Amino acid sequence: MNPDGSLAGVAAFLARRWSGCPQITARVTSRRGRPTKPGESVAVVLPPGGGLDAYREFRVSLWYESMRASMCERVLSGDHAFGAILNAMETRRIEALGRRVWRGMDGEIMFYYGRMREARPELHEVFGGARLVEAFYQQFMFGGTKGEMPPGRQDRVAKAASMADEAVRTAVGEGRGTAWLEGAAGQIAGVLGVDSLLTIPAIVPRMGITRTAGTRRRGGRDDMRKDGGAGGAPEEVRAEYEEITAAQKREEASGILPAGVRRPPEDADESDIYDASLAAGLRSRFRRLRSGWREARGPTGDELDEESLAEGGPPFISDRKISIRARVMIMLDHSSSIAPMERRYKKAALGLCEVLAYLGARFSAYAFSSHDREVVCWEIKGEGAAWGRQAARRLAWIPASGPTPLGEVYQRMMPILEAGRPDVLLTLTDGEPSDPGSARRMISAVRRLGVGTAALGIGRGTAGAAAVASNLRGLGYERAVAAGRLEEVPARAVRILE
Amino acid sequence: MEYLDWNGAGDALGAARSAGLFVLVIGPKGTGKTSLVRDFAARTGSSLESVNFSLRTREGHLVGSKTVRDGSVEFEEGVLPRSMRAGGMLYLDEMNAAEADVLLRLDEALDDRRQLVLKEAGGQTVRAADGWFVIASINPLSHGGTKELPPQLLSRFPVRIGLEYPPEDVEMEIIGRHVPGCGEEARAGVRLANSLREAAAAEELLYSPSMRETIAFARLVAGGMRPRGAADLVFGNVYAQWGGIERRKVGDVITSVFGQ
Ligand SMILES: Nc1ncnc2c1ncn2[C@@H]1O[C@H](COP(=O)(O)OP(=O)(O)OP(=O)(O)O)[C@@H](O)[C@H]1O
Ligand SMILES: [Mg+2]
């Protein structure tokens, strides 16, 4: 797991629900940084190592930080004694209040206590006054310490811990907040005999170490502090973890392109091929499609059309639900034969993408061209990426050059086709492949993946278009249609995909 | 079912009617708009005609359409002229889901002359009887399939009532009317719904649970279902249509309320 992408999105969502602050942001990091800021942001560290248990721990600490964000007046850093003592008490206070509402958290809080205790150091590993603070923390949070202290110090620790218990109980019972507990934290530092400003080194989490035998526990005082981690992960949390890891894999995969597929630079000027009025026109033309209904004529229906009746046509109009549910991959021919009409061709392709985005279709777009006798597939828009100016700039940059080696093109796209398995691969081309045998083989390989194959041929005029279409059909595309004029491309393509 | 008039909307309707003014009720789905109107009609003993608008609503549905009967073409009046002649109550539900051409015909009938020319039926004019009372409801723009109303149509409804999700305690009282004796679990359901509503208002989720759902949840739990299972059925599963992550993150919130 990495702290970005899907995990960050889920974390922000959960933090907002749990804290009840709809504007709050979540900072997921791999190392401790600034603490949570109430009403503004929650800060959570993603435990190292990964795996389901690390995710469970992450989730519970996100819950704690969300409680802090909504119930604390401020959150101090724990790098000095006063802050560390106060934070421990605040943790228990917000936990008690939070559990009243989020009653389903109990099992995972128990698990969390187990993880936290495992992560704490043995007392002999901590030096100076910080050892007393660590002993207080362990005694207060877990009801026992890892390792012994000299009797006099042990008594101070026990007294401080029971003072903290009492303070938290009172704070919860009387509805007191951070400021009130700050007073108690000062007193507790005094009982421990440590300077409030004493530096507390960050603990290095002890991952993968089994529970230390030397832990002394009073136990039975509070069920939360009993042996944590006994129960397995709740099904829902496991499913969520799996969903996030799968999504992150996809996110990573979409960032890395297979050999032979490249991303064009985004420094070209797209205004040359971006036609706002064309886009607006296309949108209004396809509005009916977006709303999901289309008129159909028939012998029965909702509304009578007298004209049609008089002409002997089907007299009734009714609405039919339509939509583009298919996931589409578009491949744009950018061979040298495109060059004479490059600008209009790009405009038409851009128009098609605009329409697909407008219709809410999930699509990716690629193009191919050849340079120095090597074919390159260019990623214009990956499936997960949003359609926008950036993608348009990439399209604008791609130079039209070289032959039309469709077989080789599909070969290079195979890893992406296999990983993404779109429902349809739609190829826009103006003519014959330069490697028809290989193209035919690759088209059937693509079909074997369960990906539908469609081609939209661009020919000059109706006759030219028809010739291109029959040619494409001969190559083994499941559907092949042709457009005689570039302006027809978006509508033709949408009709294929519907 | 007894309607709970928690925000005085019923009185506002009464006042508008006596003043001869039409009313627009604005609120997300499932906040009781239809119930409010039905309750008002029942209390005042008025006849009530309703139109449920959607993108598919055609002009013909409203004003009437020609149809073939026994081989000849006839005009069948729609709900708008019918209600005008009868002078009862007309409820235009989700008016902003309709297409512009449909709204244009409405506009004609709703302006101060309160009359409609049926060009479809020989150009005869329908005049509204005295006491004709029109209430329209619209969903906020963020809701799927809704559009902005043209301003002149908006001005035909000078009285506007906002109907939001009620406060938690009020919602509990309303649920109690539908599911007598429902307990604390129902309240947890309302809290969960409110959290999801907040997310939907910020467009973090694409669906906002209505009062229909909180009532349904209370009903399932009162019938003996475990709250966790009922919450999945009523609140959780609907998000699966936007993908695994959407479903899971809502599932997580459900888990943190009801446990496994
Ligand atoms: N104030 C109320 N008193 C009693 N029941 C109510 C009240 N408000 C809502 N309800 C109940 O909540 C449910 C949804 O209400 P209703 O259908 O009136 O909402 P709506 O706003 O018209 O929804 P939609 O926008 O989906 O048409 C119904 O079961 C209704 O009985
Ligand atoms: Mg309704």
Side-chain angles (χ1 to χ4, degrees), chain B residues 1-6 27-36 38 52 91 93-94 137 139 163 166 170 174-175 177-178 210-213 215:
Chain B
M1 180 48 46
E2 205 200 324
Y3 179 82
L4 177 71
D5 188 8
W6 59 278
K29 75 188 151 42
T31 48
K33 299 183 293 294
T34 304
S35 310
L36 165 72
R38 286 227 184 92
N52 247 303
Y91 179 43
D93 202 2
E94 278 200 50
S137 81
N139 279 330
L163 209 51
V170 174
I174 292 173
I175 295 172
R177 292 187 172 199
H178 293 259
S210 74
M211 243 192 283
R212 230 166 267 130
E213 272 107 317
I215 294 170

Short mmCIF file of all heavy atoms in Angstrom, two decimals, chain B residues 1-6 27-36 38 52 91 93-94 137 139 163 166 170 174-175 177-178 210-213 215, ligand 1:
data_model
loop_
_atom_site.label_atom_id
_atom_site.label_comp_id
_atom_site.label_asym_id
_atom_site.label_seq_id
_atom_site.Cartn_x
_atom_site.Cartn_y
_atom_site.Cartn_z
N MET B 1 -51.49 7.31 7.07
CA MET B 1 -50.30 7.82 7.75
C MET B 1 -50.45 9.29 8.07
O MET B 1 -50.73 10.09 7.18
CB MET B 1 -49.09 7.62 6.82
CG MET B 1 -47.80 8.11 7.41
SD MET B 1 -47.56 7.53 9.11
CE MET B 1 -48.01 5.81 8.93
N GLU B 2 -50.28 9.62 9.34
CA GLU B 2 -50.44 11.01 9.72
C GLU B 2 -49.18 11.80 9.41
O GLU B 2 -48.08 11.42 9.79
CB GLU B 2 -50.76 11.11 11.22
CG GLU B 2 -51.51 12.39 11.55
CD GLU B 2 -51.39 12.72 13.03
OE1 GLU B 2 -51.37 11.78 13.86
OE2 GLU B 2 -51.31 13.93 13.35
N TYR B 3 -49.35 12.90 8.70
CA TYR B 3 -48.21 13.72 8.31
C TYR B 3 -47.82 14.63 9.46
O TYR B 3 -48.67 15.26 10.09
CB TYR B 3 -48.58 14.55 7.08
CG TYR B 3 -47.46 15.45 6.61
CD1 TYR B 3 -46.44 14.95 5.80
CD2 TYR B 3 -47.42 16.79 6.98
CE1 TYR B 3 -45.41 15.76 5.37
CE2 TYR B 3 -46.39 17.62 6.55
CZ TYR B 3 -45.39 17.10 5.76
OH TYR B 3 -44.37 17.90 5.34
N LEU B 4 -46.54 14.72 9.73
CA LEU B 4 -46.07 15.60 10.80
C LEU B 4 -45.60 16.92 10.18
O LEU B 4 -44.60 16.95 9.47
CB LEU B 4 -44.91 14.94 11.55
CG LEU B 4 -44.27 15.79 12.66
CD1 LEU B 4 -45.22 15.93 13.84
CD2 LEU B 4 -42.94 15.19 13.10
N ASP B 5 -46.34 17.96 10.44
CA ASP B 5 -45.98 19.26 9.86
C ASP B 5 -44.96 19.95 10.75
O ASP B 5 -45.27 20.84 11.52
CB ASP B 5 -47.23 20.13 9.69
CG ASP B 5 -46.92 21.39 8.91
OD1 ASP B 5 -45.80 21.50 8.37
OD2 ASP B 5 -47.81 22.26 8.84
N TRP B 6 -43.72 19.55 10.61
CA TRP B 6 -42.68 19.97 11.56
C TRP B 6 -42.14 21.35 11.30
O TRP B 6 -41.55 21.97 12.17
CB TRP B 6 -41.54 18.96 11.59
CG TRP B 6 -40.86 18.74 10.26
CD1 TRP B 6 -41.30 17.93 9.26
CD2 TRP B 6 -39.67 19.35 9.79
NE1 TRP B 6 -40.45 18.00 8.20
CE2 TRP B 6 -39.43 18.85 8.49
CE3 TRP B 6 -38.75 20.26 10.34
CZ2 TRP B 6 -38.33 19.24 7.74
CZ3 TRP B 6 -37.66 20.63 9.58
CH2 TRP B 6 -37.45 20.12 8.30
N GLY B 27 -36.82 20.84 -2.49
CA GLY B 27 -36.12 19.98 -1.54
C GLY B 27 -35.65 18.70 -2.19
O GLY B 27 -36.18 18.28 -3.21
N PRO B 28 -34.66 18.05 -1.59
CA PRO B 28 -34.17 16.78 -2.13
C PRO B 28 -35.24 15.70 -2.05
O PRO B 28 -36.27 15.90 -1.38
CB PRO B 28 -32.97 16.45 -1.25
CG PRO B 28 -33.04 17.33 -0.07
CD PRO B 28 -33.93 18.47 -0.40
N LYS B 29 -34.96 14.58 -2.68
CA LYS B 29 -35.99 13.54 -2.74
C LYS B 29 -36.22 12.94 -1.35
O LYS B 29 -35.32 12.91 -0.51
CB LYS B 29 -35.59 12.46 -3.72
CG LYS B 29 -34.51 11.56 -3.20
CD LYS B 29 -34.00 10.63 -4.24
CE LYS B 29 -32.56 10.31 -3.94
NZ LYS B 29 -32.26 10.06 -2.52
N GLY B 30 -37.46 12.51 -1.17
CA GLY B 30 -37.79 11.83 0.07
C GLY B 30 -37.79 12.69 1.31
O GLY B 30 -37.57 12.22 2.41
N THR B 31 -38.06 13.99 1.15
CA THR B 31 -38.14 14.83 2.34
C THR B 31 -39.60 15.11 2.70
O THR B 31 -39.86 15.92 3.59
CB THR B 31 -37.41 16.17 2.13
OG1 THR B 31 -37.81 16.71 0.88
CG2 THR B 31 -35.91 15.96 2.13
N GLY B 32 -40.52 14.47 2.00
CA GLY B 32 -41.92 14.61 2.37
C GLY B 32 -42.70 15.59 1.52
O GLY B 32 -43.79 16.03 1.92
N LYS B 33 -42.20 15.94 0.35
CA LYS B 33 -42.90 16.90 -0.50
C LYS B 33 -44.28 16.37 -0.92
O LYS B 33 -45.29 17.03 -0.73
CB LYS B 33 -42.06 17.20 -1.76
CG LYS B 33 -40.72 17.83 -1.43
CD LYS B 33 -39.94 18.19 -2.67
CE LYS B 33 -39.48 16.99 -3.49
NZ LYS B 33 -38.48 16.15 -2.79
N THR B 34 -44.27 15.15 -1.43
CA THR B 34 -45.53 14.56 -1.87
C THR B 34 -46.48 14.36 -0.69
O THR B 34 -47.67 14.67 -0.79
CB THR B 34 -45.26 13.23 -2.60
OG1 THR B 34 -44.36 13.48 -3.67
CG2 THR B 34 -46.54 12.64 -3.13
N SER B 35 -45.94 13.88 0.41
CA SER B 35 -46.78 13.67 1.59
C SER B 35 -47.40 14.97 2.07
O SER B 35 -48.57 15.00 2.47
CB SER B 35 -45.97 13.07 2.74
OG SER B 35 -45.24 11.97 2.30
N LEU B 36 -46.62 16.05 2.03
CA LEU B 36 -47.12 17.35 2.45
C LEU B 36 -48.34 17.76 1.61
O LEU B 36 -49.38 18.16 2.14
CB LEU B 36 -46.01 18.40 2.31
CG LEU B 36 -46.42 19.87 2.35
CD1 LEU B 36 -46.81 20.25 3.78
CD2 LEU B 36 -45.30 20.77 1.86
N ARG B 38 -50.27 15.84 -0.32
CA ARG B 38 -51.39 14.90 -0.13
C ARG B 38 -52.12 15.21 1.15
O ARG B 38 -53.35 15.21 1.20
CB ARG B 38 -50.86 13.47 -0.05
CG ARG B 38 -50.41 12.93 -1.36
CD ARG B 38 -50.99 11.51 -1.57
NE ARG B 38 -50.48 10.97 -2.82
CZ ARG B 38 -49.37 10.24 -2.88
NH1 ARG B 38 -48.71 9.91 -1.78
NH2 ARG B 38 -48.94 9.80 -4.04
N ASN B 52 -46.13 13.46 -12.63
CA ASN B 52 -44.76 13.16 -12.27
C ASN B 52 -43.86 13.44 -13.45
O ASN B 52 -43.87 12.71 -14.42
CB ASN B 52 -44.65 11.68 -11.92
CG ASN B 52 -44.35 11.49 -10.47
OD1 ASN B 52 -43.35 12.01 -9.98
ND2 ASN B 52 -45.21 10.78 -9.79
N TYR B 91 -50.72 18.98 -8.63
CA TYR B 91 -49.37 18.85 -8.10
C TYR B 91 -48.42 18.46 -9.23
O TYR B 91 -48.59 17.42 -9.87
CB TYR B 91 -49.36 17.78 -7.00
CG TYR B 91 -47.99 17.54 -6.39
CD1 TYR B 91 -47.15 18.59 -6.06
CD2 TYR B 91 -47.54 16.24 -6.12
CE1 TYR B 91 -45.89 18.38 -5.50
CE2 TYR B 91 -46.29 16.01 -5.56
CZ TYR B 91 -45.47 17.09 -5.26
OH TYR B 91 -44.24 16.86 -4.71
N ASP B 93 -45.04 17.30 -9.84
CA ASP B 93 -43.94 16.72 -9.08
C ASP B 93 -42.66 16.71 -9.91
O ASP B 93 -42.66 16.29 -11.06
CB ASP B 93 -44.33 15.29 -8.68
CG ASP B 93 -43.53 14.80 -7.48
OD1 ASP B 93 -42.71 15.57 -6.96
OD2 ASP B 93 -43.75 13.65 -7.08
N GLU B 94 -41.57 17.18 -9.32
CA GLU B 94 -40.26 17.22 -9.98
C GLU B 94 -40.32 17.94 -11.31
O GLU B 94 -39.88 17.44 -12.34
CB GLU B 94 -39.70 15.80 -10.19
CG GLU B 94 -39.05 15.29 -8.94
CD GLU B 94 -38.09 14.14 -9.23
OE1 GLU B 94 -37.25 14.31 -10.13
OE2 GLU B 94 -38.22 13.12 -8.56
N SER B 137 -43.10 20.81 -7.31
CA SER B 137 -41.92 20.51 -6.50
C SER B 137 -40.72 20.42 -7.43
O SER B 137 -40.84 20.02 -8.58
CB SER B 137 -42.09 19.19 -5.74
OG SER B 137 -41.83 18.10 -6.58
N ASN B 139 -36.37 19.35 -7.37
CA ASN B 139 -35.21 18.86 -6.65
C ASN B 139 -34.07 19.83 -6.86
O ASN B 139 -33.96 20.43 -7.91
CB ASN B 139 -34.80 17.48 -7.16
CG ASN B 139 -35.65 16.38 -6.56
OD1 ASN B 139 -36.14 16.49 -5.45
ND2 ASN B 139 -35.86 15.33 -7.33
N LEU B 163 -38.02 22.35 1.76
CA LEU B 163 -38.23 21.16 2.59
C LEU B 163 -36.95 20.34 2.58
O LEU B 163 -36.68 19.60 1.65
CB LEU B 163 -39.42 20.35 2.03
CG LEU B 163 -40.22 19.52 3.04
CD1 LEU B 163 -40.65 20.35 4.23
CD2 LEU B 163 -41.43 18.89 2.37
N PRO B 166 -35.24 16.71 7.89
CA PRO B 166 -35.51 17.31 9.20
C PRO B 166 -34.38 17.03 10.18
O PRO B 166 -33.56 16.14 9.95
CB PRO B 166 -36.79 16.61 9.64
CG PRO B 166 -36.85 15.35 8.88
CD PRO B 166 -36.09 15.54 7.61
N VAL B 170 -36.71 15.15 14.93
CA VAL B 170 -37.95 15.20 14.14
C VAL B 170 -38.05 13.98 13.24
O VAL B 170 -39.11 13.34 13.13
CB VAL B 170 -38.00 16.49 13.29
CG1 VAL B 170 -39.20 16.47 12.37
CG2 VAL B 170 -38.03 17.73 14.19
N ILE B 174 -41.00 11.22 13.00
CA ILE B 174 -41.68 10.81 11.76
C ILE B 174 -41.58 9.30 11.58
O ILE B 174 -42.57 8.62 11.27
CB ILE B 174 -41.07 11.56 10.55
CG1 ILE B 174 -41.41 13.05 10.64
CG2 ILE B 174 -41.60 10.95 9.24
CD1 ILE B 174 -40.72 13.91 9.60
N ILE B 175 -40.38 8.77 11.81
CA ILE B 175 -40.21 7.32 11.68
C ILE B 175 -41.12 6.60 12.67
O ILE B 175 -41.75 5.60 12.34
CB ILE B 175 -38.73 6.92 11.90
CG1 ILE B 175 -37.87 7.51 10.78
CG2 ILE B 175 -38.57 5.41 11.94
CD1 ILE B 175 -36.38 7.34 10.99
N ARG B 177 -43.96 7.40 13.61
CA ARG B 177 -45.33 7.33 13.10
C ARG B 177 -45.51 6.18 12.12
O ARG B 177 -46.60 5.64 11.98
CB ARG B 177 -45.71 8.64 12.41
CG ARG B 177 -45.80 9.78 13.40
CD ARG B 177 -46.32 11.03 12.77
NE ARG B 177 -46.54 12.00 13.84
CZ ARG B 177 -47.31 13.05 13.72
NH1 ARG B 177 -47.95 13.29 12.58
NH2 ARG B 177 -47.47 13.89 14.72
N HIS B 178 -44.44 5.87 11.41
CA HIS B 178 -44.52 4.78 10.43
C HIS B 178 -44.23 3.43 11.08
O HIS B 178 -44.80 2.41 10.70
CB HIS B 178 -43.53 5.00 9.29
CG HIS B 178 -43.87 6.18 8.43
ND1 HIS B 178 -44.48 6.04 7.20
CD2 HIS B 178 -43.72 7.51 8.61
CE1 HIS B 178 -44.67 7.24 6.67
NE2 HIS B 178 -44.22 8.15 7.51
N SER B 210 -32.85 8.92 1.47
CA SER B 210 -33.99 9.76 1.80
C SER B 210 -34.65 9.25 3.09
O SER B 210 -34.21 8.28 3.69
CB SER B 210 -35.01 9.70 0.67
OG SER B 210 -35.66 8.45 0.68
N MET B 211 -35.75 9.90 3.44
CA MET B 211 -36.48 9.46 4.61
C MET B 211 -37.15 8.12 4.35
O MET B 211 -37.42 7.38 5.28
CB MET B 211 -37.53 10.49 4.99
CG MET B 211 -37.26 11.07 6.35
SD MET B 211 -38.63 12.01 6.95
CE MET B 211 -38.45 13.50 6.05
N ARG B 212 -37.37 7.84 3.08
CA ARG B 212 -37.92 6.53 2.75
C ARG B 212 -36.97 5.43 3.25
O ARG B 212 -37.39 4.39 3.73
CB ARG B 212 -38.05 6.44 1.22
CG ARG B 212 -39.41 5.96 0.76
CD ARG B 212 -39.58 6.23 -0.71
NE ARG B 212 -40.22 7.50 -0.95
CZ ARG B 212 -39.76 8.43 -1.78
NH1 ARG B 212 -38.66 8.23 -2.47
NH2 ARG B 212 -40.42 9.55 -1.93
N GLU B 213 -35.67 5.68 3.13
CA GLU B 213 -34.70 4.68 3.56
C GLU B 213 -34.63 4.56 5.08
O GLU B 213 -34.55 3.47 5.60
CB GLU B 213 -33.31 5.03 3.02
CG GLU B 213 -33.06 4.46 1.65
CD GLU B 213 -33.09 5.53 0.58
OE1 GLU B 213 -34.00 6.40 0.65
OE2 GLU B 213 -32.23 5.50 -0.30
N ILE B 215 -36.93 5.11 7.14
CA ILE B 215 -38.15 4.40 7.56
C ILE B 215 -38.02 2.91 7.26
O ILE B 215 -38.33 2.05 8.09
CB ILE B 215 -39.40 4.99 6.86
CG1 ILE B 215 -39.64 6.43 7.32
CG2 ILE B 215 -40.63 4.13 7.13
CD1 ILE B 215 -40.69 7.19 6.52
N1 LIG C 1 -43.52 15.05 7.84
C1 LIG C 1 -43.77 13.75 7.60
N2 LIG C 1 -44.67 13.06 8.33
C2 LIG C 1 -44.89 11.75 8.10
N3 LIG C 1 -44.27 11.04 7.15
C3 LIG C 1 -43.36 11.68 6.39
C4 LIG C 1 -43.08 13.05 6.57
N4 LIG C 1 -42.15 13.42 5.70
C5 LIG C 1 -41.86 12.33 5.00
N5 LIG C 1 -42.60 11.27 5.39
C6 LIG C 1 -42.49 9.92 4.85
O1 LIG C 1 -41.26 9.81 4.17
C7 LIG C 1 -41.42 9.12 2.94
C8 LIG C 1 -41.00 10.00 1.79
O2 LIG C 1 -41.89 11.09 1.68
P1 LIG C 1 -42.43 11.64 0.29
O3 LIG C 1 -42.65 10.57 -0.69
O4 LIG C 1 -43.55 12.54 0.60
O5 LIG C 1 -41.17 12.50 -0.12
P2 LIG C 1 -40.93 13.33 -1.45
O6 LIG C 1 -40.13 14.52 -1.03
O7 LIG C 1 -42.14 13.55 -2.20
O8 LIG C 1 -40.00 12.31 -2.23
P3 LIG C 1 -39.61 12.35 -3.79
O9 LIG C 1 -38.81 13.58 -4.00
O10 LIG C 1 -38.79 11.11 -3.93
O11 LIG C 1 -40.89 12.33 -4.53
C9 LIG C 1 -42.86 8.70 2.87
O12 LIG C 1 -42.94 7.38 3.32
C10 LIG C 1 -43.54 9.66 3.80
O13 LIG C 1 -44.68 9.04 4.38
#
